[in-house]
Amino acid sequence: MPQLAPHIFELLHNQGVQHAFGIPGDFALTLYDALAESKIKPIVMTHEPCAGFAADAYARIRGLGLAVVTYSVGGLNMVNAVAGAYAEKSPLVVLSGSPGVRERRERDLLHHKVKTFDTQRRVYEEVSLYAKTLDNPTTADADIHRALDYAITFKRPVYLEIPRDMVYAEIEEAEHQPPPIKRTDSDALTEAIAETLEMLNRAASPVMLVGVEVHRFWLQEKIVMLAEKLGVPVCATMLGKSVFPEGHPQYIGVYNGEVGHPYVRNIVEESDCLLMLGAFMTDFNLGLFSAHLNPASTIYVTSERIAIKHHEYPNVRLEDFITALCSSKELPHHNPSGITPMKPRVAPANGKMSMSSLLYELNQFIDSNTVVVTDAGDVLFAADDIQTQEGTSFLCPAFYASMGFGVPSAIGAQLADPFRRAIALVGDGAFQMTGMELLTAKRLELNPIVIVVNNSSFASLRMMGHQNADFVNISSINYAEFAKILGGQGFVIETAQQLRQAFHLARESDTFSILDVRISPDDLSPASQRVAYLFAKTLKG
């Protein structure tokens, strides 16, 4: 009979999980013993939120991530990061140690307890798709398989709580029952494809808008094939940036309503057939709801909902729809030669550094061996004008938008894909939340490049009409010197020449680098300038 925790780790390793992020604690020590004995390498972080962010980024690249924490003080400390993974559909497995089954019965007032022994599990029910305490050897195996199936199938976090006296408990193997997923109704699929083909064949200016689910469900190759068969312009949402190769001749840029580039906005909003595949229609993806999309010209396809004009097709899976459409012989073909890629709204530095010149130099530096991670704030909106070189080479929290995502996610990304260099673009406010995690990068001999936009403020709050408020100003340090204290290398950047030299030295380094880019608090990325304008316009009514 298999033992509970070793069985879980074996199943996770078989799914491609090679690293587990977390922090041990007394209720999780036995669980960490089992982890250390497994084929999965424990990655001990400095703070549980960082463990959650790193595991989230790992999951976005590998297809499954793992965080292992202790009871309450660890698990509850990580809730925010797991909430972000849930909101943005990242398949993260959370394992938490907890008080033993026997001691729960015999000792009511154990440390780390909040309200009841089930408090943490009930909290996780709100930020995960499946949450279970594994306290029954008879049902544990079925619960484990169900949790992993839910995470892999629905691309959401799941939570398993393991009492410390159950870690090595022998459990009964259960017959594997697949999760109750949505099944495609063949007649509904036929009707949906027919209506889609009718719209595409009638349209004079169709456009594809692709989102993050294209990556989550591993549909990139089919999407590229579909785009090339149609010969139409392709754009992405901010959350889905890089799921379609940005060097492809049909790719025109990120669509983000009035926040985004006018060229992309006009092509999308003037289209007479907008094929939206795997895209979340959130306020960030729609330029703070400044988008003007005509439902009568829209085909909206996600894993949760398919709507074509005003018709709903609830019993059709995203994967089946895209596969059927891609293989159809009735697809029209348009001449793609007239498609012009969007040119980033950036320019070389004229004197001191600006966000525009920083993005310009970053675009020159990025290559096919790079994965870019941005944090929340101005750097997130700045992604509109970043040009990546490979599919799925960009990660960001563009829906949940939690600050602190960037640095730990760069670590998770580099462990998930060791063949690509991670670059984190973070504001100084976000860096102060999770930048200490570079100690972990040093210990693991990782070499991410962290660009800190040093403007001594929460720039995203300043652009919301609070330029003169005291609470948008933050403390500042010399981040280049801080890098050296942590064991890496640091560079103060005030000119484009200094930035180019720092990029060169950072690329050649085998340790992490912090590029301390000094920018005025009033300077914003091109996209954030549009956000500021929209906020001001909203405030004026």
Side-chain angles (χ1 to χ4, degrees):
M1 295 175 70
Q3 294 176 317
L4 194 151
H7 180 56
I8 295 175
F9 294 131
E10 182 180 3
L11 292 174
L12 286 165
H13 187 265
N14 291 341
Q15 290 292 337
V17 176
Q18 295 181 325
H19 302 86
F21 302 86
I23 299 177
D26 58 347
F27 285 117
L29 283 177
T30 309
L31 182 58
Y32 263 82
D33 287 338
L35 175 60
E37 295 162 1
S38 76
K39 297 177 181 178
I40 298 174
K41 181 179 179 179
I43 304 297
V44 177
M45 309 290 280
T46 68
H47 203 202
E48 282 88 3
C50 295
F53 287 136
D56 178 359
Y58 191 95
R60 297 182 191 211
I61 293 174
R62 281 290 183 100
L64 202 61
L66 173 62
V68 183
V69 292
T70 194
Y71 183 63
S72 288
V73 293
L76 296 181
N77 209 14
M78 198 173 66
V79 167
N80 176 63
V82 179
Y86 184 93
E88 297 179 0
K89 282 203 163 183
S90 183
L92 169 60
V93 178
V94 177
L95 299 183
S96 176
S98 69
V101 175
R102 180 176 176 179
E103 60 189 333
R104 292 183 191 220
R105 291 194 302 261
E106 297 178 353
R107 299 186 176 95
D108 185 54
L109 295 180
L110 284 173
H111 64 287
H112 299 337
K113 181 182 175 185
V114 182
K115 187 176 182 180
T116 73
F117 285 117
D118 293 329
T119 296
Q120 179 171 290
R121 193 206 71 240
R122 293 201 306 272
V123 169
Y124 267 90
E125 286 174 356
E126 291 296 314
V127 295
S128 66
L129 191 62
Y130 184 84
K132 201 76 174 179
T133 299
L134 302 180
D135 55 6
N136 186 335
T138 304
T139 59
D141 188 43
D143 292 334
I144 293 165
H145 279 286
R146 191 171 295 113
L148 300 186
D149 284 345
Y150 270 65
I152 294 167
T153 302
F154 298 105
K155 316 304 178 186
R156 301 274 199 194
V158 295
Y159 171 84
L160 293 174
E161 187 172 305
I162 305 174
R164 57 181 171 182
D165 56 2
M166 288 289 295
V167 169
Y168 289 106
E170 292 187 341
I171 60 175
E172 296 181 17
E173 291 192 72
E175 183 178 345
H176 184 205
Q177 297 292 331
I181 62 173
K182 178 169 67 176
R183 306 292 178 184
T184 292
D185 180 282
S186 58
D187 292 336
L189 175 61
T190 300
E191 289 183 21
I193 294 297
E195 187 170 8
T196 299
L197 290 170
E198 181 185 356
M199 289 182 64
L200 287 170
N201 279 285
R202 192 172 61 244
S205 55
V207 175
M208 283 177 59
L209 173 59
V210 296
V212 71
E213 285 193 329
V214 169
H215 169 233
R216 298 290 189 268
F217 289 90
W218 307 104
L219 296 168
Q220 295 98 314
E221 290 185 7
K222 289 184 179 179
I223 289 295
V224 172
M225 185 186 304
L226 176 61
E228 291 176 347
K229 285 185 176 182
L230 289 170
V232 301
V234 182
C235 56
T237 63
M238 188 188 301
L239 186 61
K241 179 179 170 63
S242 85
V243 299
F244 192 88
E246 297 195 359
H248 194 284
Q250 289 173 237
Y251 180 75
I252 59 172
V254 171
Y255 173 71
N256 197 11
E258 290 189 28
V259 172
H261 199 289
Y263 170 71
V264 180
R265 183 176 74 243
N266 291 337
I267 287 181
V268 170
E269 296 184 359
E270 293 173 7
S271 170
D272 55 357
C273 182
L274 181 60
L275 181 57
M276 303 168 66
L277 301 174
F280 295 171
M281 291 297 96
T282 70
D283 54 349
F284 276 15
N285 281 339
L286 293 177
L288 307 181
F289 294 125
S290 63
H292 301 285
L293 305 178
N294 182 4
S297 304
T298 299
I299 301 166
Y300 182 63
V301 184
T302 70
S303 64
E304 298 175 4
R305 177 173 178 255
I306 294 181
I308 303 175
K309 296 192 290 188
H310 300 291
H311 302 154
E312 295 271 353
Y313 295 90
N315 297 318
V316 177
R317 298 172 69 228
L318 169 70
E319 307 96 309
D320 295 334
F321 178 91
I322 290 177
T323 299
L325 184 62
C326 193
S327 61
S328 173
K329 298 180 179 179
E330 299 177 35
L331 287 171
H333 181 75
H334 297 255
N335 185 354
S337 62
I339 299 174
T340 304
M342 178 272 289
K343 293 183 179 180
R345 297 162 292 182
V346 298
N350 182 16
K352 288 190 174 183
M353 290 297 301
S354 66
M355 279 300 294
S356 176
S357 58
L358 168 59
L359 297 174
Y360 176 87
E361 298 297 339
L362 180 60
N363 284 340
Q364 312 311 306
F365 178 72
I366 293 170
D367 60 21
S368 59
N369 297 317
T370 302
V371 55
V372 178
V373 182
T374 69
D375 216 294
D378 182 25
V379 293
L380 175 59
F381 292 108
D384 271 13
D385 296 284
I386 294 174
Q387 288 184 309
T388 62
Q389 298 299 313
E390 288 286 337
T392 316
S393 55
F394 179 84
L395 303 177
C396 71
F399 175 32
Y400 189 66
S402 176
M403 292 178 68
F405 179 86
V407 172
S409 291
I411 292 171
Q414 201 158 345
L415 286 171
D417 187 353
F419 301 104
R420 287 198 285 183
R421 189 73 168 274
I423 298 178
L425 181 60
V426 303
D428 47 0
F431 183 85
Q432 289 179 21
M433 294 181 180
T434 57
M436 283 291 290
E437 206 57 62
L438 287 174
L439 283 171
T440 304
K442 177 64 177 177
R443 189 182 74 249
L444 298 174
E445 299 182 340
L446 300 176
N447 58 352
I449 300 170
V450 179
I451 304 169
V452 180
V453 178
N454 186 355
N455 55 19
S456 302
S457 70
F458 292 124
S460 58
L461 301 183
R462 291 177 62 87
M463 73 187 183
M464 296 179 188
H466 289 77
Q467 295 90 337
N468 301 318
D470 251 359
F471 56 74
V472 302
N473 301 316
I474 63 174
S475 301
S476 184
I477 64 170
N478 185 319
Y479 295 100
E481 289 298 318
F482 184 67
K484 297 172 185 177
I485 293 171
L486 297 181
Q489 60 179 0
F491 307 90
V492 172
I493 309 297
E494 294 181 328
T495 67
Q497 183 178 359
Q498 289 174 333
L499 180 57
R500 287 192 289 270
Q501 183 179 14
F503 272 143
H504 172 73
L505 294 173
R507 189 194 294 277
E508 301 302 317
S509 175
D510 58 1
T511 189
F512 73 84
S513 302
I514 294 180
L515 279 55
D516 181 351
V517 182
R518 308 290 174 84
I519 289 178
S520 165
D522 298 319
D523 189 278
L524 295 171
S525 67
S528 287
Q529 292 175 29
R530 290 293 302 165
V531 173
Y533 167 77
L534 290 173
F535 266 108
K537 186 177 176 182
T538 302
L539 291 173
K540 290 178 181 178

